[in-house]
Amino acid sequence: MSKVTVVGAGKYGSTTVQRIAEWDIVDEVVMTDIVEGLPQGLALDMNQSRPVLGYRTIVTGTNDYADTAGSDVVVITAGLPRKPGMSRMDLLGVNAGIVKSVVQEIVKFSPDAVIIVVTNPLDQMTTLAADVSGFPRNRVLGQAGMLDSARFAHFISEAADHDVLDVTAVTLGSHGETMVPVPSLCKVGDTPLLEALGNDKVAELVDRTRKGGAEIVAYLKTGSAYYAPSAAAASMVKAIIENAGAEMPVCAWMEGQYDIDGVYLGVIARLGANGVEAVEEVELTDDEVAGLREAAVAVKEKVADLEDLDL
Ligand code: APR
């Protein structure tokens, strides 16, 4: 009996639930929110799509954490999304309070769960969730790299006029400003990215990827992106549930890889039943490793801001 909980039934949370349910990879997905009726209504609606799409996973909508008990994986999407002009940092105070209270409830009812954090600002929220939970750090991870890599792949595919499924794109580091593109691992078909598109074009696409979330926020005016983000979060859940050694870029706890220690950072990790089974120290150029180390310093500085909050 496998069970996944998604906390937050907003755009990101509900779309993540929908994707996991439609893949039919778990018995139950529990969706919870503080708004009464919202998760229940969405769950009922989703469940009625089962005969049409042909899957069995049941979605339970609830406002009661008791219903989340015994979850294998918990995805935390609860929080406020960025508004136009709002930086991730602006979100820190309000979302830190939400994430702390959510994690306290999760730990009570699912002491063995793997926690995936998607609430922004991602690095701080993942660190906070790990601290509050007291879980081993391999069982708390964040979603960022899958999304940034997917955005980068989409932009490369368009610029190169090449099948998106034949593009390899990898970003590491942090989310947003300190994202570290990894051209040495990026390819258009079999051609190295820099060779295919040239330095200037790649720099332009890197910049667009860095600002990928803001570009969508500016269009939407209210709310932020959720289709690609939920695809990324759901694929991490799938990797953990399937426990088949899938590797992907995630925000994981560093313990000396690339000489980086004691910080959550976007790296390639092997996921499985224990969350992060291993951080893969893939071969990078000197510049890319330097970028990763810079990102680690920036994240450590940002995480220090958490100490100034009265939580
Ligand atoms: N417990 C449970 N749910 C909560 C709580 C809480 N303490 N506080 C807020 N929520 C719920 C809200 O009621 C809302 O339904 O979180 C949901 C957030 O949904 P949206 O406003 O639609 O935001 P969304 O686009 O889903 O983004 C969620 O993901 O990408 C990040 O920056 C984004 O931090 C934001 C999060």
Side-chain angles (χ1 to χ4, degrees), residues 60-85:
T60 304
T62 183
N63 306 111
D64 183 354
Y65 278 94
D67 293 323
T68 70
S71 293
D72 301 295
V73 186
V74 176
V75 183
I76 300 178
T77 79
L80 297 190
R82 257 191 310 167
K83 309 222 164 69

Side-chain angles (χ1 to χ4, degrees), residues 290-310:
L292 214 47
R293 291 192 184 130
E294 268 169 40
V297 171
V299 172
K300 280 185 180 173
E301 276 168 17
K302 284 200 284 176
V303 166
D305 292 342
L306 280 173
E307 283 155 25
D308 299 334
L309 297 176
D310 188 20

Side-chain angles (χ1 to χ4, degrees), residues 10-12 33-35 38 77-81 95 98 102 118-120:
K11 292 284 176 49
Y12 198 152
D33 201 285
I34 41 167
V35 179
L38 177 67
T77 79
L80 297 190
N95 282 355
I98 293 173
V102 167
V118 311
T119 303
N120 279 315

Side-chain angles (χ1 to χ4, degrees), residues 82 151 176 179 206-216:
R82 257 191 310 167
R151 284 179 171 153
M179 182 195 92
V206 165
D207 189 52
R208 192 171 174 200
T209 304
R210 264 199 189 112
K211 299 173 184 154
E215 183 177 357
I216 293 170

